[in-house]
Amino acid sequence: MVVHLKRIVIVLALLCMAPLAQADLQRLQTLHEFRSEGYITGTYLLIDNNLYERVREPGNRETYNQALTRMDQLLRQLGNPNELRNPYTDFVNLIRELEGQPEDEAHFNLATVNRIMQAHGRLERTAAQLYSEQIGGAPEQLLTLHQQSLETNQILLLYQNTMFSSVGVYFMDADEGIFAAMDKRITERASQLHSLFPDQQATLSRLDKQYTFIQPRLIKYYEDWVPTIAAFYLQRNIQTLDMLAREQVRVASQSS
């Protein structure tokens, strides 16, 4: 009788743990997408304020504002933790300050851009810490998709950053040879994804093709500035990777 009761208790405990594990996966995905939207914001804000671009395209500002809106929605899904909400608010307020400045005050604007990127760096590092606290027990497939998306975001934002001599890199530690090192990891991880997702070969091959197209410009960023083209192709990859990650979480929820 006692043994039977113990078995019942164990089964009930496992049943209770299943939705908890799934909730953790969803939170992990939400944190990842929050970070991803932060990088989109930074990327298009830098494109919008790039002095090498002769014409300011309204679509750039629209894109980063859409990303900010999604970040707000994701924060609400996370329960509005103060450690993210407060730096997010600082990030948004600085962007609004920049948008209110006269366009002909380029030097003053760039100083504000630098402050914005500092705010993004603080927000990203906090989100990264919260993300790292959630990864225990997460499947390799999901984590690999997240890492590929994240590093694609990072190499894209770093590329945009190189066009600003007065704007620092605050979202990661950047040293000499960083582009080559990141490119190597992205390329190697692309092969790993092919092994992890044998049923997604066509999609992954398309990602490989798009990355390969822009790859030379990332490595030799000092030779050819193509900020909008780089964002176009790499953002397509990031969106696909994040979509595949969402699908992994959905499948996990159905099987739990």
Side-chain angles (χ1 to χ4, degrees):
M1 180 67 177
V2 173
V3 173
H4 181 65
L5 287 173
K6 286 183 177 178
R7 287 176 178 171
I8 292 175
V9 170
I10 291 172
V11 170
L12 288 174
L14 290 173
L15 288 173
C16 290
M17 287 173 64
L20 177 62
Q22 176 53 33
D24 288 345
L25 275 189
Q26 183 56 63
R27 186 172 182 81
L28 189 71
Q29 177 66 24
T30 304
L31 280 167
H32 167 73
E33 293 194 35
F34 177 80
R35 297 174 70 190
S36 194
E37 297 294 347
Y39 279 104
I40 292 172
T41 302
T43 290
Y44 281 91
L45 183 132
L46 290 184
I47 293 175
D48 192 51
N49 291 276
N50 177 5
L51 298 181
Y52 292 95
E53 294 287 305
R54 295 183 179 181
V55 179
R56 171 170 274 171
E57 295 291 341
N60 296 328
R61 187 167 291 191
E62 180 180 340
T63 298
Y64 76 65
N65 273 306
Q66 288 173 347
L68 286 173
T69 298
R70 288 192 292 268
M71 290 178 79
D72 179 71
Q73 294 168 347
L74 292 164
L75 268 178
R76 295 177 191 278
Q77 292 176 27
L78 291 167
N80 267 324
N82 288 333
E83 59 264 48
L84 289 180
R85 173 58 71 178
N86 291 339
Y88 167 79
T89 300
D90 293 341
F91 185 43
V92 173
N93 288 343
L94 284 168
I95 291 173
R96 299 299 173 239
E97 179 183 327
L98 175 67
E99 290 174 342
Q101 292 171 358
E103 292 190 14
D104 57 351
E105 297 183 8
H107 178 74
F108 186 61
N109 289 358
L110 288 180
T112 307
V113 169
N114 189 59
R115 291 164 59 211
I116 290 171
M117 299 315 294
Q118 286 177 324
H120 171 258
R122 290 190 294 270
L123 179 59
E124 160 59 15
R125 289 176 185 271
T126 301
Q129 178 60 39
L130 292 174
Y131 178 91
S132 69
E133 295 169 2
Q134 296 284 325
I135 62 175
E140 180 185 7
Q141 290 91 336
L142 181 64
L143 294 179
T144 306
L145 287 168
H146 283 178
Q147 191 60 32
Q148 189 74 334
S149 167
L150 175 68
E151 203 145 32
T152 304
N153 261 313
Q154 289 177 331
I155 200 170
L156 174 58
L157 184 53
L158 191 63
Y159 176 79
Q160 307 297 341
N161 237 117
T162 59
M163 292 179 286
F164 294 83
S165 59
S166 59
V167 176
V169 176
Y170 304 103
F171 59 91
M172 65 182 300
D173 297 326
D175 50 21
E176 189 175 353
I178 185 65
F179 276 101
M182 293 177 74
D183 171 69
K184 184 174 184 292
R185 291 194 297 269
I186 289 171
T187 303
E188 291 176 349
R189 197 178 297 110
S191 297
Q192 183 184 1
L193 286 170
H194 278 279
S195 299
L196 290 172
F197 296 95
D199 58 334
Q200 294 288 347
Q201 296 304 304
T203 298
L204 295 173
S205 293
R206 186 171 68 251
L207 299 186
D208 295 343
K209 184 177 181 180
Q210 290 173 172
Y211 182 76
T212 301
F213 175 77
I214 207 68
Q215 185 181 30
R217 294 167 174 82
L218 298 174
I219 301 301
K220 296 184 178 181
Y221 59 88
Y222 44 83
E223 291 184 358
D224 189 16
W225 300 110
V226 287
T228 304
I229 294 174
F232 175 78
Y233 282 102
L234 294 186
Q235 277 299 321
R236 288 173 69 176
N237 279 17
I238 292 161
Q239 290 168 4
T240 300
L241 290 163
D242 289 351
M243 178 193 68
L244 291 172
R246 283 193 293 273
E247 179 64 13
Q248 287 293 300
V249 174
R250 186 189 68 80
V251 170
S253 69
Q254 291 181 341
S255 60
S256 62

